[in-house]
Amino acid sequence: MMQTKSSCRQLISLGAAFALCWAIPVQAGALPGGKPVQSSRIADEAPLSSSLTGNVLAAVVFMERRDVSNADIALYQAVKAGMTDPPFIFMAMRTAAIDAGPEAAQRAVELAAMLPDGNMVQILRGNGAVYAGRWAEAERLFMAPSVNPGLMELASPVLRAWSRFGAGNPAAAIALLEQTHQIGIVGAINVLQAARIAASANDPRTEALFRRLHGAGSGLPPMLGYILAVQEADWLAAKHDPAGAERVLKSAATDIPPLALVLEHVRPNAQRVHGLTARQGLASYYFELASMLADPADARSPEHRRPEDSEKNEFRQMLLRQAIWFMPDLAIARISLAEELHREKRLAEAEPLLEGVAADDPLSPVADQALASIAQELRDLPAALAALQRLCRFQPKDVTILAEIGDIQQQLGHSREAIDAFTAALSGVSGMRAGVWPLYFGRALAYDALGERSKAQADLAHALALAPNEPELLNYAGYSDVLRGRNAEQALALLKHATALAPDNAEIRDSYAWALLKQAGDVAAAMPLFVSAADALPTDPEIAYHLGVAYWYRGRHLEARDQWNQALGFHPEKSTQALIEAALEKGPGLDIFEKKAAVKKQ
């Protein structure tokens, strides 16, 4: 049957500095001073393809398809095959920097080594040095350039401070951060880095640094407020002050309502303080920097973004990829990046990011909520169901979660489990609230699938009482009676009302026409509705079958058979296929017409 008839509804001032990060201050084919770009060590490796042109063309195709992973490989191979144009290498570096996995991160660093100094190049080179533990080199690379410093003017002190921390000199790291005089969110993020480093080093300045952060706390975005609370709670746990740690988390839960449930499940962990590494510190900073660059424009769909919005989002994705490279279990970065990829409809890249969030991470419910949505869009119903079931263990009485579980169980053919989910959802709400009707509707579908028609009818009656003007509900309730040959007058009334409410819905028009034909024998009234429905949905096998039946009872048997033969080519469901084959063999045999024919013979 058609989906409308057999299923329920389907169920969420830095701009200029940023621009400089992407700028290439050289002419194509040359470094400053006219020196040709060397192929570096990439060219020394055996290329995977010897065709430069083939790799370039492949990269163009993949980029048009927004296939970042394959575009990354094709661009990289083009450079290996001999492409030495700096803008091309820069594009390859950018693409590798937003691709998934440690290999892509290493490619970005490798490509950055082929380019002249610049904001993004220096960040990636510096990250390569951090990853290898070359701290002095990292600090040198993280120095802001004297010309067009851009974002590096803000980030350089923090990046260099973490390099000093990695080299075993936390006091020098804190001293460097104390020399910065940033205000607002930039200043708060810098103080947070100093507090992290001081807490790890058991520095007496830690408490004062956290006090400074509390002064700015009300102006922090929710996720940064969450990070601050967890960081301070961990420090208090390391000081053997569990009561203080608990007090900080409870206060944050009050101040950040969207994350209150998450904060309730945070367990302060002193090891996160004592075992802090420079890579972890930089990973957190890159997430915080990416959050700072977010603004309301990020919520716009990709097709409505301005070019500068897209470039800024790409830069944020690069920061988040680098954070995950340094700290693969940083859930907050995984979730943030997955949300950005979801907005860009890069669902296949977003899903594994969320699947990589550990089940015991306090943010796992946030990840599961996003994963359920993405998996449903990908039609990966088992993954969506698993995510929702984990979420339900976290929030066992959440009606929305239970309803989504019921929907997916029904789509998977697990009707009994769907009934259980809808029943649990109904137990948590008032039975006469208008918004409850989809729960009754969903459970009715499941009961019908199990052949428990009386229970289905009871639920449909509840749903109709609550929502008498919902076209799809009216359509299902009326059409399901037409199929069973019951309640003819009521079915006709429901379908007539549904058609009036949704006159442009071809499936509903077809349902009403089938009721007129099968229940009332009114070929004249049904025929134009069937024709318009078939025009709107010319490959729907059920509509084609119905139109053929109307032709048959108009005496147009050749046209009827033509419709049925076409319908067989539209991959009908088994029940519809059986009706079509029977009609081709001996006619449709509708009772109302057979009885009329029998009376005429008498």
Side-chain angles (χ1 to χ4, degrees), residues 279-292:
R279 279 194 205 174
Q280 292 170 338
L282 277 167
S284 295
Y285 175 64
Y286 282 141
F287 165 76
E288 290 145 15
L289 189 58
S291 298
M292 182 182 71

Side-chain angles (χ1 to χ4, degrees), residues 522-566:
D522 191 343
V523 183
M527 182 63 79
L529 293 170
F530 282 137
V531 171
S532 69
D535 286 343
L537 297 172
T539 61
D540 187 301
E542 193 170 11
I543 293 176
Y545 166 67
H546 290 166
L547 178 57
V549 174
Y551 281 145
W552 182 271
Y553 289 115
R554 271 288 179 92
R556 296 158 64 176
H557 289 190
L558 286 176
E559 290 169 275
R561 291 182 178 280
D562 179 59
Q563 282 294 320
W564 295 334
N565 282 313
Q566 286 186 54

